Amino acid sequence: EPEVTQTPSHQVTQMGQEVILRCVPISNHLYFYWYRQILGQKVEFLVSFYNNEISEKSEIFDDQFSVERPDGSNFTLKIRSTKLEDSAMYFCASKREGLYTGELFFGEGSRLTVL
Amino acid sequence: GENVEQHPSTLSVQEGDSAVIKCTYSDSASNYFPWYKQELGKRPQLIIDIRSNVGEKKDQRIAVTLNKTAKHFSLHITETQPEDSAVYFCAASDQGAQKLVFGQGTRLTINP
């Protein structure tokens, strides 16, 4: 069964450093997402991406965040200057069709620890 | 925007008993309501979903009910087993939105 894959599984970084989290969505999917989950809390929407552009973003997704689909297979989340409060599990997700049809598939997550 | 409230935050039941988790949503335009199960350190995985044109859906021991008028939906797990222990999240999405809005999660513990 195809899966969304994410790397790295865990990254530790110093405050102020740039971080890039990588995702390979399922190959025939068209909609891509980043969510985050602070330890013990709910899953929060960050950004959605379709047709090579951001379709929606949350208040969390400020100027420090960016997403890119550089080569037709990878989907990356960049945090330019990390803050302590960016420590969380970041989930990539993808979907074949529009959001209200079918299942959203999540990756295993990338745990980011900012020191 | 959409706001989803989920209760209870923790639930402990005896193996074999039933568990019920409830969610309410705020946006009457929402029409898709999935439930995700997340085991410790793992990704959320869809276990069942329901659309607003249906009042109830069942899949073996799992069922979901939807009351559009009251804007709430519930997950029912019957004959619970130890492997049902996990955190369960409800979510809602409307037809025009590009995202799911999740509830706060319910930590379900099945006691043997």
Side-chain angles (χ1 to χ4, degrees), chain A residues 34 47-49 53-54 61 65-69 75-78 80:
Chain A
W34 284 99
V47 65
S48 58
F49 193 87
E53 62 182 20
I54 290 174
F61 195 89
F65 290 87
S66 62
V67 290
E68 199 175 39
R69 187 158 163 81
F75 179 50
T76 63
L77 174 69
K78 181 193 289 187
R80 287 190 187 82

Side-chain angles (χ1 to χ4, degrees), chain B residues 34-60:
Chain B
W35 285 88
Y36 282 81
K37 177 183 180 181
Q38 186 179 30
E39 296 176 0
L40 190 62
K42 301 290 188 181
R43 75 185 86 192
Q45 291 194 291
L46 181 73
I47 55 171
I48 195 166
D49 57 15
I50 192 167
R51 302 186 191 284
S52 58
N53 58 345
V54 175
E56 184 174 357
K57 183 177 178 180
K58 190 172 181 180
D59 182 3
Q60 299 182 348

Side-chain angles (χ1 to χ4, degrees), chain A residues 6 35-44 88-92 106-111, chain B residues 6 21 35-47 75 77 83-90 102-109:
Chain A
Q6 289 185 241
Y35 284 82
R36 80 170 186 191
Q37 185 178 34
I38 296 171
L39 188 63
Q41 298 185 24
K42 67 176 174 181
V43 179
E44 298 176 289
M89 180 73 92
Y90 288 80
F91 289 104
C92 174
F106 285 87
E108 290 280 4
S110 293
R111 181 168 297 283
Chain B
Q6 182 172 349
I21 303 170
W35 285 88
Y36 282 81
K37 177 183 180 181
Q38 186 179 30
E39 296 176 0
L40 190 62
K42 301 290 188 181
R43 75 185 86 192
Q45 291 194 291
L46 181 73
I47 55 171
L75 177 72
I77 306 174
E83 53 264 37
D84 294 330
S85 294
V87 178
Y88 291 80
F89 290 96
C90 63
F102 285 83
Q104 294 89 334
T106 296
R107 181 173 299 280
L108 176 64
T109 303

Side-chain angles (χ1 to χ4, degrees), chain A residues 14 25 32-33 35 45 56 60 83 86 93 97-98 109-110 115:
Chain A
Q14 294 291 325
F32 313 113
Y33 304 84
Y35 284 82
F45 169 78
E56 189 169 351
I60 303 168
K83 302 187 282 284
D86 293 328
E97 300 163 339
S110 293
L115 302 177

Side-chain angles (χ1 to χ4, degrees), chain A residues 90-108:
Chain A
Y90 288 80
F91 289 104
C92 174
S94 71
K95 200 170 191 315
R96 186 167 59 90
E97 300 163 339
L99 186 59
Y100 41 88
T101 48
E103 180 179 349
L104 188 65
F105 290 83
F106 285 87
E108 290 280 4

Side-chain angles (χ1 to χ4, degrees), chain B residues 6 9 23 25 38 51 55 60 65 68 75 91 93 103 112:
Chain B
Q6 182 172 349
S9 56
C23 288
Y25 60 98
Q38 186 179 30
R51 302 186 191 284
Q60 299 182 348
T65 58
K68 285 177 59 181
L75 177 72
S93 175

